[in-house]
C-alpha cells in the first residue's frame, strides 16, 4: 500500500489559477466597457494579452447562415471575415455546437487557412439558450497548443460574452 495523499479539492474543480484570474478580469472589463462592441474587443484583447499561446483571437457572430467576423486581435487580419456555417473548422463548430480542438491544422481537411504561422486552432461556440449565436476562434503557432483546459475555460468565456452579440 502506498501512502495516502489527502485531496483537498475534487479533481473536477481543479483549474489553473490563471483561468480564474482571467475570468475575473473579463467580468470587470465587460462591466466597465462603454458598449457591447467595446466589451467584446476588450475580451479578445485580454485573452490575447494573458495567454502567450493565444496568438490570434477573434469572435465571430452568426448572421443568417454565415459567421461574420467581429472583434479580433493578432498580427494579421484574416481574409475569412464571412464563413458559411458548415465550412471550415469555424463553420463545423457552429453547425454542431461542439468545441473543436484541432491539434494540427495541416492534418485537418476542414481547415481554412488564414495565417502561415498557424499550426493549431480551437473554436468554441457561443450559445443563447440552445442556439449557436457565435464563437470564439483562437489560432496557435505551436502544434497541439490547446487542450481540454483551454476548452473548459473558453466555454466559460463564451457564456460571459453571449450578451455582447450585436443586435441584428
Ligand atoms: N481557420 C478557420 C478560419 C478562421 S481563421 O483561423 C481566423 C477555419 O478553418 O474555419
Amino acid at each position: 500500500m502506498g501512502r495516502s495523499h489527502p485531496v483537498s479539492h475534487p479533481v473536477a474543480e481543479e483549474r489553473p489559477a490563471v483561468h480564474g484570474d482571467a475570468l475575473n478580469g473579463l467580468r470587470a472589463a465587460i462591466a466597465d466597457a462603454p458598449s457591447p462592441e467595446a466589451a467584446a474587443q476588450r475580451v479578445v484583447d485580454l485573452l490575447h494579452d494573458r495567454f502567450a499561446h493565444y496568438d490570434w483571437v477573434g469572435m465571430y457572430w452568426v448572421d443568417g447562415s454565415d459567421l461574420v467576423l467581429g472583434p479580433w486581435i493578432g498580427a494579421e487580419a484574416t481574409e475569412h471575415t464571412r464563413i458559411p456555417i458548415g465550412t471550415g473548422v469555424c463553420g463545423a463548430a457552429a453547425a454542431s455546437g461542439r468545441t473543436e480542438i484541432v491539434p494540427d491544422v495541416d492534418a485537418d481537411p476542414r481547415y481554412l487557412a488564414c495565417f502561415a504561422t498557424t499550426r493549431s486552432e480551437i473554436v468554441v461556440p457561443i450559445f443563447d439558450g440552445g442556439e449557436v449565436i457565435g464563437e470564439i476562434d483562437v489560432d496557435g503557432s505551436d502544434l497541439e497548443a490547446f487542450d481540454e483546459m483551454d476548452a473548459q475555460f473558453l466555454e466559460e468565456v463564451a457564456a460571459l460574452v453571449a450578451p455582447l452579440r450585436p443586435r441584428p
Side-chain angles (χ1 to χ4, degrees):
M1 290 286 283
R3 282 188 296 147
S4 78
H5 296 272
V7 175
S8 55
H9 302 290
V11 169
E13 290 183 11
E14 284 184 10
R15 65 148 75 239
V18 289
H19 286 166
D21 289 349
L23 286 166
N24 287 335
L26 289 166
R27 286 189 193 96
I30 290 169
D32 287 349
S35 67
E37 292 78 10
Q41 185 68 55
R42 288 185 185 187
V43 168
V44 297
D45 291 352
L46 190 147
L47 291 172
H48 181 261
D49 290 350
R50 292 227 184 170
F51 298 97
H53 60 305
Y54 291 13
D55 288 293
W56 188 95
V57 183
M59 225 178 270
Y60 285 87
W61 298 109
V62 171
D63 176 26
S65 58
D66 292 337
L67 292 157
V68 175
L69 185 63
W72 62 273
I73 182 169
E76 292 176 67
T78 175
E79 67 187 90
H80 298 294
T81 56
R82 183 173 278 271
I83 301 172
I85 292 173
T87 299
V89 179
C90 287
S96 69
R98 287 204 296 268
T99 294
E100 291 280 351
I101 297 176
V102 179
D104 177 358
V105 294
D106 292 331
D108 193 321
R110 302 170 303 174
Y111 175 65
L112 293 175
C114 289
F115 317 114
T117 50
T118 298
R119 306 299 302 280
S120 55
E121 182 168 14
I122 184 168
V123 182
V124 177
I126 301 168
F127 292 95
D128 181 11
E131 186 192 354
V132 176
I133 59 164
E135 59 192 31
I136 299 167
D137 178 21
V138 185
D139 285 34
S141 302
D142 295 324
L143 284 173
E144 300 177 15
F146 309 108
D147 62 15
E148 280 303 321
M149 294 307 290
D150 293 290
Q152 188 183 321
F153 167 62
L154 289 170
E155 286 165 9
E156 292 188 57
V157 176
L160 287 182
V161 301
L164 307 181
R165 182 191 193 183
R167 290 168 187 273

